[in-house]
Amino acid sequence: MGGSLENGVAAATAALRVDKEVDYAQYFCTYAFLYHQKEMLSDRVRMDAYFHSIFSNTHHFLGKTVLDVGTGSGILAIWSAKAGARKVYAVEATKMSEHARALVRANNLETVVEVIEGSMEDVSLPEKVDVIISEWMGYFLLRESMFDSVICARDRWLKPTGVMYPSHARMWVAPIRSGLGDQKKNDYEGSMDDWHSFMDETKTYYGVDMSVLTKPFSEEQKKYYLQTSLWNNLHPHQVIGTAAIVKEIDCLTATVADILEVRSTFSSLITVENTRLCGFGGWFDVHFRGRREDPAAKEIELTTAPSIENSTHWGQQVFLLHPPVRVSVEDALDVSFSMNRSKENHRLMEVEFGCDIKQCSGKLLPSFRNKFYLE
Amino acid sequence: MGGSLENGVAAATAALRVDKEVDYAQYFCTYAFLYHQKEMLSDRVRMDAYFHSIFSNTHHFLGKTVLDVGTGSGILAIWSAKAGARKVYAVEATKMSEHARALVRANNLETVVEVIEGSMEDVSLPEKVDVIISEWMGYFLLRESMFDSVICARDRWLKPTGVMYPSHARMWVAPIRSGLGDQKKNDYEGSMDDWHSFMDETKTYYGVDMSVLTKPFSEEQKKYYLQTSLWNNLHPHQVIGTAAIVKEIDCLTATVADILEVRSTFSSLITVENTRLCGFGGWFDVHFRGRREDPAAKEIELTTAPSIENSTHWGQQVFLLHPPVRVSVEDALDVSFSMNRSKENHRLMEVEFGCDIKQCSGKLLPSFRNKFYLE
């Protein structure tokens, strides 16, 4: 959401400091609801990945200390305890912590799992830990910027020999086709038609000329309909070219500076005949590999790539082009991608795609550059 | 939204102090969008009422000073200037003020209308005013609690001889029938069925017993589906008994204490044969009467009562009973109604209905008392 804030908060946001009360009002509130927790707990792909990462690698947990960052309902902390951990600290910033505590007790694990209500930046633990486990990934990996809290936890509380669960994360982008672009274009045009009727009526009945607001209204509507990325569950057939990695994160060493801005240039070859490049799809995967000196016995992958049977609640993020571009097999895209945090709200992202297209005939199409908002 | 806040904000909210940054994040943000302003400007009943209240009563505006509290797009300030005001101060807390300023200039009124960005509690005006005009009414009148800002404006800036536009406001309640109750009941039961499947699966596949969360989950879902009032556009035929006034406000004299809590007991006679009391509908009206010493030449009414042709964007608020109660013509309801601000967020309301039903045969049905949340 745009709009300037009063001086104190403006300065704070500019410094990307988490203004706790605003952050709570906007971000944490959703996680305080059991319904939302249940949605995540019902995501079988997500649950399976974490479940297997723990129970196929119990050597990382047996007799060890664990920190669960953002425990929510407490599920990862409970599994860690069942995998044999000596002690689990389960930190949760919202009142969901009370439910986590009840769940731990109901599953007879209260001697092992200690639920702590508070933010990771503030809480104090009695000791450093062998494992930090967290399900921190937002849409397209970095939306919500929860990884900041994981980094903070790691820097404060992970032993020098400790492991991160997950250990690695990657962001992927691919060219896609989609009917959503047409829909949104129609919605935008309908909204502008409606605006013009509204202006006529307001002039006729109420004597006020609204035309000076046409430009800002159209920019606001454009941003809403055409420039905001969408959640979508892409079918694999909608991916029309080779996918590329735009970011790789080693969770053991990444800093906040590393993830403040994502920049990447990559090539993509169109793999479908006579189709439309309607935009780009973005997703992520994470891996549970342990660390070089203490690797996983079994490496587990959690991917949110387009899939028929293994889709997740994350879906993919879709960035639509207006208008779409006709492309065909072996056309080559040179793409520049960037993503950084919105100045107004560090948990939202601004994304830019630049694209040059060389048809397989050798002909160069006009290049374009589009800005998007990931809300 | 529920959930406890960190100590500082908890104390603040308990004192009902407006924590500006949280308030901005939750409340003001919507009003910063032109789309939202347009929705209100497209409400013909609303627009007609204010338009006629001003232009049928130009004696209140000609050569006078006016304050528009929460000017939004600036429309009321612009009309006040066109009605001959000497000076209009148009106060707006969001960046919408920039659009208001542009609209004023585009309509050649910048010498008369001064747009001031800020909250009514903070801004300073160079003089007191003859008229305070404001469109401050929320769903069921008091949702959003914007009237607090109008009272503040009046106490600080209205001349002893000044008038309020509108001058009076009333809240109404009537017994209704509605299919929404059945819908919401089904949604709630579906949600609980789903919860039980989810619990079975989580136990089977992941070895975690979620049953301790069934009660809090069911309470959360009950609150969401069954105890939260709904926006609805009631058809007049859905009103099945006599309507009653539960609150009357004189905008010239009301204090914040007067509106912190609304309490009323009233009687209602059922006027429809063999029907279902599915709940209660709430709405409001406002009047533009000027003041006793300086009355309106023409009194204008803006009502949001159920209507076929004159519905407004406010609709009505609907409070549904589960289960509904069979009633018939001449059955008598004794209703107690109360509404007060939520401790967690002063812009949300908690509502309670108590009801005794005496059938026209003389038989007394079991009384009930239901709590609702107006979000």
Side-chain angles (χ1 to χ4, degrees), chain B residues 179-279:
Chain B
L180 286 176
D182 298 333
Q183 250 189 59
K184 293 296 174 185
K185 188 80 179 181
N186 288 338
D187 291 343
Y188 166 73
E189 284 169 354
S191 175
M192 291 311 299
D193 286 344
D194 193 56
W195 171 264
H196 285 105
S197 306
F198 160 74
M199 271 204 302
D200 288 343
E201 289 185 20
T202 310
K203 188 87 181 79
T204 304
Y205 293 112
Y206 303 122
V208 179
D209 182 355
M210 294 279 171
S211 56
V212 74
L213 296 182
T214 300
K215 183 161 177 285
F217 181 80
S218 129
E219 281 164 3
E220 182 188 286
Q221 296 297 282
K222 217 174 263 183
K223 178 175 173 179
Y224 180 78
Y225 284 115
L226 306 182
Q227 296 174 326
T228 300
S229 65
L230 304 172
W231 182 96
N232 195 219
N233 221 352
L234 289 168
H235 190 286
H237 291 164
Q238 290 181 270
V239 177
I240 60 167
T242 53
I245 295 167
V246 295
K247 184 72 178 176
E248 297 205 58
I249 292 172
D250 181 339
C251 301
L252 206 49
T253 57
T255 63
V256 173
D258 289 339
I259 59 170
L260 271 181
E261 192 183 57
V262 178
R263 280 194 171 282
S264 174
T265 52
F266 62 89
S267 301
S268 179
L269 262 186
I270 300 298
T271 51
V272 175
E273 253 188 79
N274 287 333
T275 186
R276 295 190 310 164
L277 173 65
C278 299

Side-chain angles (χ1 to χ4, degrees), chain A residues 36-338:
Chain A
H36 185 78
Q37 295 292 329
K38 174 177 162 289
E39 291 293 279
M40 296 187 290
L41 292 166
S42 302
D43 179 337
R44 292 291 300 276
V45 172
R46 168 193 187 265
M47 291 286 272
D48 282 352
Y50 274 87
F51 183 86
H52 291 304
S53 78
I54 295 170
F55 289 102
S56 303
N57 294 295
T58 51
H59 67 289
H60 277 149
F61 294 85
L62 197 60
K64 301 290 173 74
T65 51
V66 180
L67 166 60
D68 177 1
V69 178
T71 201
S73 58
I75 188 75
L76 300 185
I78 286 171
W79 283 341
S80 300
K82 283 172 171 280
R86 170 172 68 74
K87 186 79 188 182
V88 182
Y89 303 101
V91 177
E92 170 57 38
T94 74
K95 275 272 173 263
M96 185 58 54
S97 61
E98 294 179 357
H99 298 311
R101 206 169 283 119
L103 201 59
V104 163
R105 193 174 308 124
N107 285 271
N108 304 308
L109 294 166
E110 65 271 29
T111 53
V112 178
V113 180
E114 181 180 336
V115 177
I116 302 167
E117 181 181 339
S119 78
M120 211 55 244
E121 292 74 9
D122 292 339
V123 300
S124 259
L125 306 184
E127 57 180 330
K128 294 206 178 211
V129 298
D130 299 295
V131 181
I132 288 180
I133 190 163
S134 180
E135 197 278 80
W136 53 266
M137 299 84 70
Y139 292 148
F140 200 17
L141 192 71
L142 294 177
R143 182 183 171 273
E144 294 173 44
S145 302
M146 187 183 157
F147 192 54
D148 290 25
S149 301
V150 177
I151 291 172
C152 171
R154 182 200 69 202
D155 292 345
R156 295 181 73 196
W157 303 110
L158 190 67
K159 291 178 184 173
T161 50
V163 291
M164 301 293 293
Y165 268 63
S167 56
H168 296 82
R170 298 185 300 189
M171 292 170 60
W172 290 81
V173 169
I176 61 164
R177 62 178 173 85
S178 171
L180 286 175
D182 298 334
Q183 248 188 63
K184 293 296 174 185
K185 187 80 178 180
N186 288 338
D187 290 344
Y188 167 74
E189 286 169 354
S191 176
M192 290 312 299
D193 286 344
D194 192 56
W195 171 263
H196 284 106
S197 306
F198 160 75
M199 271 203 302
D200 288 344
E201 289 185 20
T202 309
K203 188 86 180 82
T204 304
Y205 293 113
Y206 303 121
V208 179
D209 182 355
M210 294 280 171
S211 56
V212 74
L213 296 183
T214 300
K215 184 162 177 284
F217 181 80
S218 129
E219 281 165 2
E220 181 188 288
Q221 297 297 283
K222 219 175 261 182
K223 178 175 174 178
Y224 180 78
Y225 284 114
L226 307 182
Q227 295 174 327
T228 301
S229 67
L230 304 172
W231 181 97
N232 195 220
N233 220 352
L234 290 167
H235 190 286
H237 290 166
Q238 291 181 270
V239 177
I240 61 167
T242 54
I245 295 168
V246 296
K247 184 72 178 176
E248 297 204 60
I249 293 172
D250 181 339
C251 301
L252 206 49
T253 57
T255 63
V256 173
D258 289 339
I259 58 170
L260 272 181
E261 192 184 56
V262 178
R263 280 193 171 281
S264 173
T265 53
F266 63 89
S267 300
S268 180
L269 262 185
I270 300 298
T271 51
V272 174
E273 253 189 79
N274 287 333
T275 186
R276 296 191 309 165
L277 171 65
C278 298
F280 295 94
W283 63 87
F284 67 88
D285 59 31
V286 298
H287 286 85
F288 301 82
R289 298 195 175 109
R291 61 187 295 163
R292 208 182 326 126
E293 307 86 349
D294 185 9
K298 182 171 183 193
E299 286 192 11
I300 300 293
E301 173 184 84
L302 166 55
T303 177
T304 65
S307 168
I308 302 166
E309 301 207 333
N310 292 317
S311 62
T312 73
H313 76 285
W314 283 284
Q316 294 82 35
Q317 280 295 302
V318 153
F319 304 83
L320 297 166
L321 304 172
H322 306 276
V325 182
R326 291 225 68 88
V327 293
S328 196
V329 62
E330 302 238 353
D331 288 350
L333 309 183
D334 261 331
V335 187
S336 71
F337 169 84
S338 76

Side-chain angles (χ1 to χ4, degrees), chain B residues 2-60:
Chain B
S4 154
L5 304 169
E6 265 133 9
N7 281 347
V9 180
T13 346
L16 293 181
R17 179 175 70 81
V18 175
D19 188 277
K20 289 211 184 78
E21 292 81 4
V22 177
D23 205 29
Y24 188 91
Q26 289 182 334
Y27 170 64
F28 284 115
C29 267
T30 322
Y31 289 103
F33 285 95
L34 280 164
Y35 181 78
H36 185 78
Q37 294 294 328
K38 175 176 162 289
E39 291 293 280
M40 296 187 291
L41 292 165
S42 302
D43 179 337
R44 293 290 300 275
V45 172
R46 168 193 187 264
M47 291 286 272
D48 282 354
Y50 274 87
F51 183 86
H52 291 304
S53 78
I54 294 171
F55 290 103
S56 304
N57 294 295
T58 51
H59 67 290
H60 276 149

